[in-house]
Structure formats: C-alpha cells, structure tokens
Amino acid sequence: MEQSQDLSVGARMAIAKRAFRDEDFAVAKEHFRILADLGSKGAFLGLGAIYERGGHGVDKDFEKARYWYERGVFEGDLLEAALALGKFYYMGMGVPVDYEKAYSYYAKLENTNNAVALLRLGILFELGKGVPKDPQRARDFYRRAAKLKNIFARKNLGVFEVKHGNILWGLVLWSSAIIQGFTLGLLKESDRRLRNW
C-alpha cells in the first residue's frame, strides 16, 4: 500500500477505487478509512460495500457495513447507501427483516430512476408489507421500473395485470420479460466465450 500521507484526497480516492475494482479490499479499506476520517462521503459508501461483500483480505461484516451505509445516508445523503440499507432490511441481511425500515430507505429513491428501488417499492405496496396495500401505487412503481428495462419489474407487472383482469396485457408483459431475460443470458454467455477465446 502507498503510505504517503501527502496524497491528495482525489489521489487517495483514485487508489481506493482502483483497489476496490481489483478486489484488493484490504488496501481499499485502508484508503477509504483515511478518507472517511477526512469526511469524504464517498468513502462511507466504499467501506459499506467492502464490509457487505467481504473477502479479499476483509471479513464480511454486515454490522460494520450497515454502520458505514448509515453514515452515508445521514451524513452524506447518498442514495446508493439508502438503496443498500433498504436491501439489508428487505432481505434480512444481518438484521431481522423489517419492511417498514426497508420502505423508509427505498422511499428516498422514489423520485429517481433506480429500477431496483422502484421494483421493491412496487412489491411492498402490492403486498402491503411495511406500508398499506395500494394496488395503484404498486402498478405505478412496476411500470416505472419496467420502463427502465428491469426484467423482474416487467414480470411482476405482467403477473399484477393478470391478477387484476388484464390477462392479455399481463401475458404480453410476462412473456417479454422472459424473452428479455433469455436474450440477456445469451449475450452474457456469448461475451464470456469471447473473453475466454
């Protein structure tokens, strides 16, 4: 690791990001930690991601990940950190499943084009988990996420439409999600083959 204390914030951030990309989490963690101590909000997100993933010289630790993501949300207003925390509570990653808390974090992304947050908001409103059931809001969130080419949102919207009597339209949406997923799978497999050729 480059030990120079004379590194600028930008240079140190570049080193941390490069180490993270190269999966040298121990080096990335050291630089992100120095940056966090200097108040760099992006470092909060980097440290959260390192502890969430673990490996490569750093133990997986959801509690530490949550701590850094919370700092990212509350000190840095980072939407990426809110998305991560929503996932923690939605899926019960190191915490009990808590749909109300998941909603509180996903709601911060309600007016963005984050397809994952929009999909999860749709699910919460469709099922009434952590929020009152609201089919119209669920449909709206599914539509917005589907427009962003989220396969799962398109599938969920298709099933939703079938359940609510729009059978033909629901089947079209559901079928297009399957075709989109199959096509993406083929493209990824083809890309993998080309890289290994």
Side-chain angles (χ1 to χ4, degrees):
M1 181 173 89
E2 293 147 48
Q3 294 288 343
S4 172
Q5 298 300 322
D6 298 333
L7 288 173
S8 70
V9 169
R12 191 173 297 281
M13 183 62 83
I15 292 167
K17 286 180 177 181
R18 185 175 59 242
F20 184 86
R21 261 192 321 273
D22 294 342
E23 296 185 337
D24 188 349
F25 289 171
V27 169
K29 182 181 87 166
E30 292 304 316
H31 283 285
F32 280 137
R33 187 58 207 242
I34 292 167
L35 289 163
D37 290 344
L38 294 171
S40 174
K41 295 169 178 80
F44 302 154
L45 191 61
L47 287 164
I50 287 170
Y51 284 116
E52 178 184 350
R53 293 177 185 155
H56 311 284
V58 177
D59 291 333
K60 182 182 282 195
D61 187 329
F62 289 135
E63 189 174 325
K64 286 181 181 175
R66 198 172 69 248
Y67 167 79
W68 288 108
Y69 285 143
E70 285 173 351
R71 284 194 66 185
V73 169
F74 298 114
E75 293 177 38
D77 204 25
L78 299 174
L79 295 178
E80 297 92 342
L83 181 66
L85 287 167
K87 176 178 69 174
F88 274 42
Y89 287 102
Y90 184 88
M91 300 177 85
M93 294 171 59
V95 293
V97 170
D98 185 333
Y99 293 118
E100 285 182 36
K101 279 191 177 180
Y103 170 74
S104 72
Y105 288 112
Y106 287 136
K108 294 179 183 301
L109 292 112
E110 185 173 340
N111 296 316
T112 69
N113 285 328
N114 187 292
V116 173
L118 296 172
L119 167 66
R120 296 262 169 83
L121 285 165
I123 293 168
L124 293 173
F125 278 104
E126 180 181 9
L127 302 176
K129 293 191 177 268
V131 293
K133 260 188 181 184
D134 188 333
Q136 187 55 49
R137 287 192 76 189
R139 176 184 278 133
D140 291 342
F141 284 122
Y142 286 151
R143 282 182 180 160
R144 288 177 55 201
K147 284 181 184 175
L148 295 167
K149 305 203 184 324
N150 184 293
I151 296 169
F152 300 105
R154 188 171 290 162
K155 178 196 71 83
N156 281 27
L157 180 58
V159 171
F160 180 92
E161 293 295 350
V162 167
K163 282 187 206 175
H164 289 85
N166 301 323
I167 296 170
L168 184 58
W169 180 237
L171 291 174
V172 167
L173 289 166
W174 188 75
S175 299
S176 70
I178 291 172
I179 292 167
Q180 181 184 1
F182 180 73
T183 304
L184 286 175
L186 287 177
L187 290 173
K188 285 181 182 176
E189 183 60 31
S190 173
D191 183 53
R192 191 176 305 119
R193 285 189 205 129
L194 286 173
R195 281 193 311 249
N196 294 330
W197 186 65

